[in-house]
Amino acid sequence: MIRHQIRLAAAAAACLVLAACAGPTDMEPPDVDVPTPLPSGIDFSPEGGGAPADDSCDPLASYNPGTTTAAQALAGLDDQEQISIGISQSTNLMGYRDPETNALAGFDIDIATAIAKSILGDDANIRWVPMTSGERVEAVNGDRVDMVVRTMTMNCERWGEVEFSAEYYHAGQRLLVPKTSGIESLADLTAEQQVCTGESSTSVSNIAAVNAEVQPVTVPDFNDCLVLLQQGTVDAVAIDDTILAGMAAQDPTLHVVGDAFSQEPYGIAFQKDNTDLARYVNGALAALIADGTWQAAYDKWLKGPLGVAGAAPAPKYRD
Ligand code: GLU
């Protein structure tokens, strides 16, 4: 279909250039073979799916807020005048550019904004830093940002690299397929089929754990998986249900199938050892859950697309 349209466009362009396409006999399109465009960094045989999950810690246990003050949190920022927050600007419903206002919008953006206001006040100066999943850890540890609020799963491997807040959302991974495909779950996919996901995301190993046969395909930004599915380059997309709901909302010919095949507790990430900031943010998270801000954000962005009345996770502290 795409190739056909490209051929027609090429024929039209050739007519414009030559200005001599007079008779119907001259209308045969030139036989050019235009390859389907692919996102940069696509990997058709990624490694790293087979490692067993690291269960050496309790990934949900963050730091008790105790009596940590906003002044202590402020001292943990790189710049006392503004807060830099790593986000996605291309994940529909979670962190994306509203096409009408060009402003950032979504569930993660609402949570991040409420946290920033708690630290810096209502006129908080927020510097938004868009990034891919694979850039998150280096962004906090390399002082590019003060925190990352970007659909980031808390797990033991990542706890070794960053500090996390308490869980602020509980997601799970599922599968997105064309409605006409007949595919009902990740387990249905065969060795001849390809499933797209984000490089450096937890889904690479989750896919291998559920279906060792299917061929994973990774891209640096999992949002590119949507186009690959629409092109027919891949058969399915596997990633968090929140993200897939956003893709399904963009393309009504697709739908999310199968039960969740993983647990994806989202945490806000901070530089390793910046525990005062983590403690303060945990207090701020508890407050925005208690005052209805969390529920309002959920109801605005996720309740309809996910089809369930969500509730905030109960925080868990290690000390
Ligand atoms: N939540 C998963 C992760 O943090 C997948 C989505 C993402 O990459 O942001 O790896």
Side-chain angles (χ1 to χ4, degrees):
M1 175 66 166
I2 285 177
R3 195 159 286 202
H4 179 64
Q5 283 169 349
I6 291 170
R7 282 214 178 115
L8 288 179
C15 282
L16 283 177
V17 172
L18 297 173
C21 303
T25 51
D26 297 328
M27 289 300 285
E28 194 60 28
D31 196 12
V32 288
D33 196 9
V34 180
T36 303
L38 297 173
S40 70
I42 189 167
D43 189 343
F44 285 98
S45 54
E47 288 177 9
D54 177 355
D55 56 4
S56 62
C57 77
D58 178 353
L60 300 184
S62 183
Y63 302 98
N64 196 313
T67 54
T68 317
T69 61
Q72 284 173 280
L74 204 57
L77 302 185
D78 291 330
D79 174 346
Q80 315 296 287
E81 306 291 314
Q82 69 170 9
I83 186 161
S84 297
I85 308 183
I87 42 85
S88 173
Q89 64 173 356
S90 48
T91 306
N92 191 29
L93 307 180
M94 298 303 286
Y96 72 105
R97 292 254 167 220
D98 181 322
E100 275 170 28
T101 62
N102 201 33
L104 284 159
F107 181 79
D108 275 347
I109 303 298
D110 282 0
I111 298 296
T113 303
I115 297 292
K117 287 183 174 177
S118 174
I119 299 171
L120 284 171
D122 276 348
D123 55 353
N125 181 5
I126 306 175
R127 189 172 72 94
W128 299 109
V129 183
M131 60 184 59
T132 63
S133 299
E135 293 171 323
R136 296 177 295 198
V137 170
E138 175 53 27
V140 284
N141 285 336
D143 287 335
R144 249 182 94 199
V145 296
D146 297 302
M147 62 180 72
V148 164
V149 189
R150 194 196 185 287
T151 60
M152 186 165 182
T153 296
M154 314 159 72
N155 60 29
C156 297
E157 194 192 332
R158 291 177 180 166
W159 265 111
E161 302 174 309
V162 298
E163 307 293 354
F164 278 113
S165 69
E167 181 184 19
Y168 71 91
Y169 185 81
H170 196 84
Q173 290 181 344
R174 296 180 69 195
L175 200 71
L176 181 76
V177 293
K179 285 179 179 165
T180 54
S181 68
I183 298 166
E184 288 175 6
S185 74
L186 178 58
D188 281 358
L189 297 175
T190 66
E192 282 69 52
Q193 290 179 302
Q194 295 187 315
V195 58
C196 184
T197 194
E199 176 188 291
S200 313
S201 77
T202 51
S203 40
V204 182
S205 52
N206 291 335
I207 291 167
V210 174
N211 185 336
E213 297 287 304
V214 66
Q215 179 57 52
V217 173
T218 60
V219 282
D221 186 339
F222 53 71
N223 292 296
D224 286 329
C225 288
L226 174 58
V227 176
L228 290 169
L229 183 61
Q230 291 167 328
Q231 286 173 341
T233 302
V234 299
D235 301 283
V237 180
I239 198 111
D240 304 358
D241 50 2
T242 47
I243 298 164
L244 296 181
M247 293 181 181
Q250 285 173 272
D251 185 339
T253 70
L254 307 174
H255 66 169
V256 180
V257 294
D259 294 333
F261 53 84
S262 73
Q263 309 276 337
E264 308 295 328
Y266 290 170
I268 300 173
F270 312 94
Q271 186 167 91
K272 197 71 195 155
D273 297 329
N274 199 350
T275 48
D276 275 354
L277 188 54
R279 285 185 197 282
Y280 182 81
V281 166
N282 283 345
L285 274 175
L288 69 90
I289 289 170
D291 73 9
T293 303
W294 188 98
Q295 195 65 50
Y298 178 85
D299 291 353
K300 179 174 182 188
W301 298 109
L302 297 169
K303 187 178 172 190
L306 289 174
V308 282
K316 199 168 172 186
Y317 305 129
R318 64 177 68 181
D319 53 5

